[in-house]
Each structure stands twice: as C-alpha cells, then as structure tokens.
Amino acid sequence: VNDVDGSEKVTFRISGLKSGSQISYDSDGDGTAETYTAGSTGVINIPLVKNITDATVAIKDFTMKAPANFSGDIPGIKFSLVTQDTDSDSATPAEKIATAADTLTLHVNPVTDSITALNTIQAEGYEDTPISLSGKILPQTNDTDGSQKFNVKIDEIKAGSTITYDGVSYKIGSSDTSGVDVTDNGDGTF
C-alpha cells in the first residue's frame, strides 16, 4: 500500500468463520496480540499497522480459537486484504479488496469435557424382581452442549446377579469380578 496522504486504512478481513471464533494478531505492532471475535456474519476485520509491508503482516502470525464446545470442520475461510480510502474529497469511503484465490478448511478436533462428579442414589427393590438403575447414576460434567456420553463401570456385583442394559442381559458369574460397562443415552440417563 502506497499511502501518500495517510488517508487509507488497511484491514485484514477473514470471512467464513463460525460465530464466536476468535483470531489473535498483533495488529498495532506493539508486540502484544489483540483478540477479535467473529459475530453472526462470521467476519473479522483486523485493522493493520500503517506502512504495511510483507515483513509486517504474515498469516503465520495469526492464531485462531474455535467457538466454545465446537468440533468439526469450518470450510470456506477466506482471507482478504482491504484498503479503504477515507479522503475528505470522497463522499463514501472507497474499498479495494485483494482476496486470496483459495479458501481454507479448518478442522477442529473434539476435546472431552471433564467429569466434575459422579453421584449415585441408593437403588431399592424387592428380591427376585428387576431394580431400575435409571436416574440412579448421575455423572456431572462441564459439558454445556450435550455432546458427551459417559461410560460407567458397575463393579462388585454379587455373583448370580443379572444386569440388563440396552436390551442385553449380563449374568454375573462367580469368577467374574470385572463388572459391567454401560454408556449413557447422552443426557445422563442409562
């Protein structure tokens, strides 16, 4: 950018992002990265330092953080360099946009939220009749989007007992001390 009169603003525009995505970049050249967050349009405009050169802007200097609890692909991320002339002789600022020919697909790997507590409620019933454990095993997590499932191991079951889970019955033999592993329905119920 050859800005003789100082009237041009240079912006790095990143579009195609998920709402809530964050880009960190040292846009003012002070050595500390600023953080910009994409809104509902999925666009972030980062104002760049004056007298921009190849040495002062590089994509390698950007870092991105996906929205909270997001995993999967973000396809079609586009990078554009936008110059905007804001001369007093212009009724509306004129933009000139240079866009990268290719787009980027960013893959975000899932991260398991931690279990914060595993609570149980005493199950009671009559002999020789099934006793439901539904709602009696209560894993708690910081998972806010319901994407986590839990595997729970039930052990120290008396020999001769039968556990039925997901339509399959498991008979606990006298030599079987490993217990039974069950997976929740995704909502904390079994």
Side-chain angles (χ1 to χ4, degrees):
V1 176
N2 187 8
D3 183 15
V4 178
D5 63 1
S7 65
E8 293 188 18
K9 293 192 312 190
V10 180
T11 304
F12 203 77
R13 181 174 294 160
I14 304 168
S15 59
L17 299 169
K18 293 280 186 193
S19 178
S21 296
Q22 293 183 331
I23 299 285
S24 295
Y25 178 71
D26 180 13
S27 60
D28 59 12
D30 68 355
T32 302
E34 289 75 39
T35 300
Y36 302 87
T37 303
S40 61
T41 62
V43 176
I44 292 178
N45 290 302
I46 301 174
L48 298 178
V49 294
K50 293 220 179 265
N51 302 322
I52 189 170
T53 65
D54 288 343
T56 59
V57 63
I59 292 176
K60 69 177 177 58
D61 297 330
F62 286 82
T63 58
M64 180 180 165
K65 181 179 177 186
N69 294 310
F70 175 82
S71 64
D73 289 334
I74 305 174
I77 298 173
K78 187 183 291 185
F79 296 87
S80 305
L81 193 58
V82 179
T83 57
Q84 189 177 59
D85 188 353
T86 57
D87 278 336
S88 58
D89 62 352
S90 301
T92 57
E95 281 190 352
K96 183 171 185 178
I97 301 173
T99 302
D102 292 327
T103 58
L104 170 75
T105 295
L106 181 68
H107 180 75
V108 180
N109 291 321
V111 176
T112 305
D113 294 313
S114 60
I115 294 176
T116 56
L118 180 60
N119 298 315
T120 57
I121 297 173
Q122 182 70 38
E124 296 180 1
Y126 296 104
E127 64 180 82
D128 301 326
T129 59
I131 301 170
S132 175
L133 299 180
S134 184
K136 304 294 183 181
I137 303 171
L138 308 168
Q140 294 177 343
T141 180
N142 53 9
D143 174 35
T144 59
D145 63 358
S147 64
Q148 305 292 316
K149 287 194 172 195
F150 303 96
N151 289 325
V152 175
K153 183 174 185 164
I154 303 171
D155 58 6
E156 298 187 25
I157 301 168
K158 289 201 172 264
S161 298
T162 302
I163 296 243
T164 303
Y165 173 70
D166 203 20
V168 178
S169 292
Y170 302 91
K171 181 87 168 170
I172 309 300
S174 60
S175 62
D176 185 358
T177 58
S178 62
V180 177
D181 292 318
V182 295
T183 303
D184 81 336
N185 296 315
D187 61 2
T189 64
F190 292 87

